[in-house]
Structures are given as C-alpha cells and as structure tokens.
Amino acid sequence: MVNSQRKILVTSALPYANGPIHLGHMLEYIQTDIWSRFQKLRGHECHYICADDAHGTPIMLKAQQLGIEPEEMIAQVNKEHQQDFADFNIQFDNFHSTHSVENRELASEIYLKLRDAGYIETRTISQLFDPEKSMFLPDRFVKGTCPKCKSEDQYGDNCDNCGATYNPTDMINPKSAVSGATPIMKDSEHFFFDLPAFEGMLKEWTRSGALQDEVANKLNEWFEQGLKQWDISRDAPYFGFEIPDAPGKYFYVWLDAPIGYMGSFKNLCDRREDLNFDDFWAKDSTAEIYHFIGKDIINFHSLFWPAMLEGAGYRKPTHVYAHGYVTVNGAKMSKSKGTFIKARTYLDNLDPEYLRYYYAAKLSHRIDDLDLNLEDFAQRVNSDLVGKLVNLASRTAGFITKRFDGKLAKVADTTLEQVFLGKQEVIAELYEGREFGKAMREIMALADLANAYVADAAPWQLIKQEDKQAQAHQVCSNALNLFRILVTYLKPVLPKLADDVEAFLQFPITWDNLNADLAGHEITKFKALMQRVEMKSIEAIIEASKENLLATIDTPTTVDTAATADEAESNDAPTSGNHLEDDPISAEISFEDFAKIDLRIVRIAKAEHVPKANKLLKLQLDLGGETKQVFAGIKSAYSPEELEGKLTVMVANLAPRKMRFGMSEGMVLAAGPGGEDLWILEPHEGAQPGMRVK
C-alpha cells in the first residue's frame, strides 16, 4: 500500500448514443481504464465514471426514422455500449446517461447559478428554418454550393473542397439535409453564456499545467481572436432538457454533456454511503479530477467547461488529457475498405486484451494520432505477449508440476529478481504520466532478460541430470516468479490475463505482493493463457466490416447533390470517440418501405457531360418504351462514351426533382469506394429494359 492515499475521479468523454462503439472510440476508454486500474493497483481511491451522451438533433431524427421514442432508442444503445465496454474489460465504477434525473437537476442548477450571477444573456438571432419539418437547422443539416469555390453538395459551415468556412446563410442554393426543402430565414430568441467574462481566469488556468503544452498553445488562438459568447440554447423540436423558465427552449447538448460527468458521479454517490459528491466537486475539494478526451473536443473541455464550473461555484478539473485520432493501416478508418471496425466485430474474432496491449504499446502523453497497423498488431502481440510473456511460464511450469509436486523452490540467487523489482517505481512513474508505450518497453525489456536467463540455464537439459534436479527446480521457480512480477506490472493493461495467472499461481497479483517470497508455494497445472493472432482472424474482421456503399443521385433527403461514394466516404468518421451535435445522420428505412422501391433494368440510350458540374453526367434511360432523364454523380469513373448502350439498374418510382441543370426522374445505382473506383450496377445477360429487379 502506498503511504499517501489519493482521492481520484476519472472520466472518459461520453460516447454519443446514436450508434455503436468502434475501435476509434476504444482508444480513449482503454487509455483511461489502464490509468484508472493502475491507480487502484497502487492502493488509491479511484472512481472511473462515464455515461452515454444522449441528447441532440441527430438522436431526435434517428428515433423518428426508426419509429420509436428517443428514450427507447438511447436505452437500447446504452445497453449495447455497456456490453461492448464490459467485453473489452473496461472497468467503470458507474456508466450512466445524460438523460437522467441527476443530470437534469445539475444542469438546471448550474444554469440558474450562471443566470443569477449575470453570465447568461438573451438576444434574437436569424437562422435557417426548415418549413416542411418546422425546425431550425444546425449548420451541418444544411447542404448546398460553396460560396467561395462553387463546389456543390457542401455542408453549411465549411467546404470540404476548398476549406473555406462560412455561415449557412452565405451558401448558394441551400437545402435542408432533413427534408430537402429550401430553408427560410426565421428569427428566434437564444440564450448565450458570457464566456469572455472568464478570459482572465481561463488564460491563467490553461497555463497552470492542467493541460498539455500543445493544447495550451492551441487554445491561445482563441484568446488572440477574442472569446465570444456561446449559444447554449436550441429551439423545439429538440431532444434534451428544457431550460428553466423558458418554454420551448432547450439546453444545447454541449451544455449538459460535460455536466453528465457530475450526474454520473452523483448517481454513484446516491447508491454508496461511503461516497460524498461535494468531497470531489466542491470549490475547496482536495480530490483530483481527470478528464480523458479526444483532441476534437478540447475547446469544450478546456474553455467552456471550466468557465461554467467557475461561474457556478464548483471546482475545475485537475487535468484534461487529450489524445489523437486512430488511423488504420495509415489511413482514416473506412467502411468501404473494411477498416471502420466496430468493437463487436473485433470481439467476435479476437481477444480484447490484444488490442488493449497494442494501444498501450503505442500511447504516450502527447496528442499524436495513433495508427493501428493490422500486420504490426499481429506481429507485436505474437512477439511480446505470446513469444516473450506467456512463453516464459509455458516453458517452465510443466517441470514444476511434473517433477516437483507443483511446489516452488527457494531461489538462492535473486540477482535478476532484484533487477525486476528495482524497476517498479520507474514503471509506476511512466503509468502515472500516461507514457504507456515507454512502460511497455521497460516491461518487455525485462521479459527479454527473463527469457535469456531461462535459455542460458536450459532447465530442460538440467532436468535430465540427476545431480542437477535442484538447480532445474530453482531455475523454473525463479522464472515463474519473474513471470509473476511482469504480469503484475501489466495488470492494468491485461486484467483478464492477470486473473488467469492468479488462478494458475494460486496467489494474488497485487502491487503490494511484488516482493513476496513464494518458496514452498503450490501452483496448479499450467493451461494455455494466450493464442497467437492469425492473419485469417484479421481478414475476417476486415471482411465483416466492409460495406458496399450505394452511390445515388437526388435522394429524398438530399436535393441538387451528387451523392456518390465520395459523399458516402464522408461517413468514414474522425475516430476520437466524440461527437459533434450538428452532424447529420444516415437514413434508415423499414423493410416495408424498401419493398416499395421499383428497381428497373434500363438501357443508357444517351450520356453527356453537364456544363459546370464536377460530378454529374446527364443520362437518358430507356425503360423499354419509356424514357427517363437522370443526373448521376459518376463522372469521375465514366466518360459518356463508355456508358451509352450499357444496361444498368435504376430506381424508377422516385418522385421527380427539379435541379439546377434540369429535371431528374430517378437514380441509377452504383457501388465502390469512390473516385475512379465506382461501378454502375450491371444486370446479368438476358435482361431487357423495363424488367423489374427482384
């Protein structure tokens, strides 16, 4: 036990409750879990809490599309999230939801304190409004033509093509991504948090050591530009908490999301008599609070959140630790390539402790992106965990049970053991400083020493000689003791392995027991602890993760756009694990709705370029006696000459839509990762124009 016990509260950013956990998310939860487990292993009072982020426009709309209430949807997602985390051995002390009684009460309390202290102002603003859905449109729910470079099908806040940022009201031909309607301008009263009032405090706090240096440097740009008041309200319809004394006005999701940390902890305190909420969150608290987050939400946690806490009379976090994104094989996670891997897909094929170790081996205290190279992943797990760690026990334990009644010998020469024990504070400091990669290298260097010791001593040779039996007994006992020390150091990373080793050695794996003398201690028969990673398992994960992304034009939810695979690839998301409330969601339909789609085989009678269009080709489609005109976003993959005369598949009963270039009377179907690798769907031989596809 350490001499001075610390009181620690640890959080991970809240996963958004409108979809499954993927391996990009898992980086953060594994990082936080390792750090939390280490603190507990050292004897500190440490509580790791989290919750689902359950509010916002995307959740409201997705629930509508599913035909269920938002509460039902977020409850199901919460259950799935908790199962994924549990199966990845993430040890939360509490996992809650922002849509909770505790969070509602705390959000209202903090808001009222800010309001009463003069930090909330109201003013009327003009926003784009969807007249069909009767809702104001967040920037990311508006699509149109970039006012700078004239690229089509861009979001309402920035252009993917030229990088320009703008207001959605500046867009050319804006359309609602929800209904396809042309939005109108409408006034509304909004509530603003007076962030500039906290500029002095924030400048001091961001340079206090609470943030990584690179984060503090980045935040300095906000101060140079001048802090602005923060819009914390949204208009009905909205799924969230209604603002006190303001009917029809709701807290913006990012107002109550960080308060969700407090709400989850309050829920835990209410269920445990030994925990007091104020001991951790009161202004004079001496406890430590640590937030682990992705780099994409730094501004919310390092400016807005501490200012809210300060204004409402609560303490600020001790540290906010940011990490980078996850890439796979050196590139952004991609659904079409099969590298957008869900946690459940991984769990169906591989041991979660492999990924825990690989992430740990590559993590540092910095915010650099981490690449999950799948070949390197297999090689490192096989080399370090199977070849070095587990092999140390597998090559020596059998001699103990077969020749020495399963009992360990008193080791005369403890030189190597002292080297191992001498590293405990070095390794502890690396864990504390989130330098997990350096800690893994220190531990594996010790594993190399242990394996070299066994190889030099060669107990399999000693055991054959009558006068060397005692020496063989000592070598194998020493090796298992060194193995125990290694597993103790790795317990925060590999908790399941540590449990299995406890059962095998019949001895507790704790930091306090590092110096234990196991002479005469009896162990059980050794069983395989880990298997090698086979590339076929990785290939199965990739194959199961691939999605054929349909490339369509002029869908009911996106007007005047070319929704090719280039657009579909925009779903290959940033992988920090956090969300932006203004991100649109993908549409889901029932089987009954899908059955209404009339898929017809058609002949491309004529194809031609569309002037001033980057993606579109104009197609005249022969349905067998009837001709329809369609604009298709396949220009990057086909020239008009290649298409004429080909048979393809179209949606024939889509309502016509007027576009800038003319009337589009359907859509053709195509698939592929995008760009030149985009293929129209061609029917088998014998098909005739007008035939239905069943």
Side-chain angles (χ1 to χ4, degrees), residues 221-273:
E221 296 176 8
W222 284 69
F223 299 121
E224 291 174 350
Q225 296 170 5
L227 297 180
K228 294 179 175 57
Q229 292 188 334
W230 179 38
D231 188 347
I232 62 166
S233 65
R234 294 294 185 268
D235 291 279
Y238 192 81
F239 182 61
F241 294 144
E242 200 166 37
I243 298 176
D245 306 321
K249 305 291 183 180
Y250 290 80
F251 288 129
Y252 173 43
V253 61
W254 269 110
L255 184 286
D256 67 74
I259 298 173
Y261 300 136
M262 302 172 79
S264 181
F265 188 62
K266 181 69 164 58
N267 176 261
L268 180 64
C269 291
D270 290 345
R271 292 185 286 108
R272 285 181 46 175
E273 294 183 358

Side-chain angles (χ1 to χ4, degrees), residues 195 238 243 274 283 506 621 645:
L195 186 64
Y238 192 81
I243 298 176
D274 60 327
K283 190 78 170 179
Q506 299 188 113
L621 304 177

Side-chain angles (χ1 to χ4, degrees), residues 79-90:
K79 181 179 178 181
E80 293 169 0
H81 283 182
Q82 291 207 52
Q83 189 61 57
D84 286 347
F85 288 136
D87 290 349
F88 258 104
N89 303 325
I90 305 299

